[in-house]
Amino acid sequence: MLSTQEDISAPASFVFARLTDYDNLERLALRRGAKVTRSGQIGVGTTWSAEFRLRGKDRKLKGTLVEYVTDEKLGYEARIKGMEFSFSVELVALSRSRTRMVVSANAKAKTLTARVLLQSFKLARQRAQKRFANRVSDWAETIEDAYSGS
């Protein structure tokens, strides 16, 4: 399990709006070479299918929005060949203009091959945690920059 938190100088409503700007997020994925398809209106049960290349192999991901509490929490589940992932983002309003974003991710292996992959990931957990924290920090900084620029 990976988990990190970041404090953002922006109101929770603004942070939540940025996190749920799915049109923009889908465009970002398309720019990085992924093919993304959304089905359903935004809310619990919305699904995404994505195809992308990772480490020299084509991958297919199916993701679902499983929790959606406005200005407070988002929860997702995803599947990629033999693995299931859960991902959550919680927002805590520290003040009117400051929000703590707590992000966590978890993976479960469903096949032997996936178990081996997950085990090697666990051996490099510290490095993965650092990369995860850096990505979330970059994401938080982008949101903060958008708020200060608006």
Side-chain angles (χ1 to χ4, degrees):
M1 170 125 155
L2 301 174
S3 184
T4 190
Q5 67 183 29
E6 286 290 327
D7 291 350
I8 303 171
S9 295
S13 59
F14 183 84
V15 175
F16 190 83
R18 297 297 290 195
L19 294 174
T20 56
D21 184 358
Y22 295 113
D23 291 332
N24 185 47
L25 295 171
E26 290 166 5
R27 279 192 300 275
L28 286 172
L30 289 170
R31 279 189 224 137
R32 292 183 176 173
K35 296 176 189 171
V36 180
T37 309
R38 178 183 356 152
S39 62
Q41 292 296 104
I42 298 300
V44 173
T46 302
T47 61
W48 287 267
S49 295
E51 295 180 21
F52 54 94
R53 193 159 187 83
L54 179 66
R55 297 187 181 200
K57 292 187 178 183
D58 291 331
R59 313 284 181 174
K60 292 182 181 181
L61 174 137
K62 175 137 181 157
T64 305
L65 180 59
V66 295
E67 190 167 13
Y68 187 98
V69 180
T70 303
D71 297 345
E72 291 180 24
K73 189 170 185 180
L74 294 164
Y76 302 90
E77 290 180 353
R79 291 174 184 243
I80 300 177
K81 194 177 182 183
M83 294 190 82
E84 293 179 352
F85 298 90
S86 59
F87 182 79
S88 69
V89 180
E90 292 183 53
L91 302 177
V92 178
L94 301 174
S95 69
R96 285 186 194 168
S97 62
R98 208 144 167 80
T99 304
R100 176 164 293 151
M101 179 172 68
V102 181
V103 183
S104 59
N106 198 13
K108 293 180 186 174
K110 294 297 180 183
T111 65
L112 183 58
T113 305
R115 283 187 194 137
V116 170
L117 179 66
L118 195 55
Q119 188 61 35
S120 66
F121 174 77
K122 287 179 181 178
L123 293 172
R125 188 177 192 286
Q126 189 173 8
R127 190 174 75 209
Q129 175 63 40
K130 188 174 182 177
R131 285 179 57 193
F132 182 74
N134 286 340
R135 292 266 172 106
V136 171
S137 177
D138 291 347
W139 195 17
E141 193 175 308
T142 301
I143 293 170
E144 204 169 78
D145 290 347
Y147 181 71
S148 61
S150 61

